[in-house]
Amino acid sequence: MRRHPEREPRLLKGMPSMQYDPGNNFFGDYADIYAEAPYNDFTEGVAKDLPELLSFYGAGTGSYLDLGCGTGTLLIALAGRFDRLAGVDQSADMLRHAGAAALRAGVRIDFTRSDLREFRSERPHSLVTCTYNTLNYLTAPGDLRRAAETLRAATEPGGLVVLDAHPTWFVERAWAGRVFVEQNTPDRLEVWENPYDADTGRVDTTVTVVSRTGDGRFERVHEVHPQRGHDPGAVTDALVEAGFATVDTFAGLDRAPLDENTSRVWYVAR
């Protein structure tokens, strides 16, 4: 899921980890909580820094597609730069929030509900983004290749793709096996558990949210978000095999070089 572990929520040492069925519909009930929490801070930061990167690469301004668009924050923030906007997400509940946000902002966006691995765009785009850990939700063999093919098919000749993903080394050091607690409002507590399978590199992140309602009752939301780390070599190979001619990797949108402590790798492909 699109969580932001760099915010360093409080770690509960010794709290038992629990295993849950990963087949549930993540970003269902949790979408309402996500839309109210400060997770959009990340996309707002991306929206602030991305234009300089786009100018550096000479990206076109005809059409912009955001894959894994969530609540639509990035699309709305960059709306003034493009003639057409489109967003794709597999969660109907997240798209409900995105549509409402676009309506409030007076921005026209064509939203589609689809899985990143299966989506095929009706028209190519000048810019395609896929950010905030969306690639980390690709956990099965062949998922990266299928996603790269989606990206290639959605990008016009000479168009630009901008992605991010947590690498395996970050997942293992700062995420795997840990339990985090966040309290973004006085009436809501979130608990994140991250059981880790070292053989597959997969983390079945479980989120449990307890909220106090206006009449003093408590409501509980529980979801499982399977994820895994992806290292630069694997992502780059998938993009090249899909047909991209060049793939650059950075530690940030400011084009800083990667190092062993990079927590989020950025990819620019064309």
Side-chain angles (χ1 to χ4, degrees):
M1 63 155 284
R2 292 186 166 193
R3 61 186 295 271
H4 196 6
E6 290 97 325
R7 292 173 57 208
E8 297 182 355
R10 184 163 58 93
L11 175 63
L12 293 187
K13 296 181 179 179
M15 185 172 179
S17 179
M18 296 177 285
Q19 297 284 354
Y20 297 93
D21 176 13
N24 65 350
N25 179 28
F26 52 81
F27 288 111
D29 291 338
Y30 185 69
D32 293 340
I33 298 166
Y34 182 97
E36 297 176 359
Y39 300 118
N40 285 329
D41 293 352
F42 174 84
T43 44
E44 289 171 0
V46 172
K48 179 181 178 181
D49 297 336
L50 187 57
E52 184 175 344
L53 182 76
L54 300 181
S55 297
F56 176 82
Y57 279 95
T61 58
S63 182
Y64 167 36
L65 169 67
D66 189 22
L67 293 170
C69 65
T71 55
T73 307
L74 190 55
L75 283 160
I76 294 169
L78 296 177
R81 296 180 59 92
F82 297 92
D83 299 329
R84 299 186 307 275
L85 301 169
V88 174
D89 203 282
Q90 72 170 7
S91 168
D93 293 284
M94 294 292 269
L95 290 176
R96 170 171 51 84
H97 285 285
L103 186 63
R104 289 193 300 270
V107 175
R108 180 187 171 115
I109 303 174
D110 294 324
F111 289 110
T112 302
R113 184 185 183 192
S114 181
D115 188 302
L116 168 62
R117 297 161 294 186
E118 301 171 354
F119 175 72
R120 285 297 178 267
S121 178
E122 294 182 354
R123 62 174 66 181
H125 301 270
S126 310
L127 171 69
V128 180
T129 59
C130 184
T131 66
Y132 209 175
N133 307 8
T134 298
L135 285 186
N136 292 113
Y137 278 90
L138 306 177
T139 62
D143 277 356
L144 279 180
R145 174 186 55 78
R146 294 172 64 191
E149 291 170 353
T150 294
L151 292 162
R152 177 64 273 189
T155 309
E156 67 185 22
L160 201 68
V161 166
V162 180
L163 318 168
D164 74 41
H166 287 313
T168 303
W169 62 77
F170 171 77
V171 172
E172 290 180 340
R173 295 174 190 171
W175 195 354
R178 297 191 176 192
V179 178
F180 301 97
V181 170
E182 294 184 0
Q183 187 166 8
N184 293 313
T185 72
D187 295 321
R188 179 169 293 153
L189 186 71
E190 300 184 26
V191 179
W192 303 84
E193 301 173 78
N194 297 282
Y196 179 61
D197 185 332
D199 293 332
T200 63
R202 175 166 159 164
V203 177
D204 282 350
T205 297
T206 66
V207 54
T208 303
V209 183
V210 178
S211 302
R212 192 199 328 260
T213 64
D215 58 6
R217 295 181 300 108
F218 289 92
E219 295 180 342
R220 177 181 179 271
V221 170
H222 180 81
E223 293 185 359
V224 182
H225 296 244
Q227 299 173 83
R228 62 164 297 178
H230 294 297
D231 290 336
V235 177
T236 297
D237 287 348
L239 292 169
V240 171
E241 290 172 7
F244 288 98
T246 62
V247 180
D248 297 329
T249 56
F250 304 111
L253 291 173
D254 58 357
R255 294 181 284 120
L258 300 181
D259 62 36
E260 62 183 8
N261 295 314
T262 297
S263 62
R264 183 183 300 276
V265 180
W266 288 90
Y267 303 85
V268 182
R270 73 183 333 164

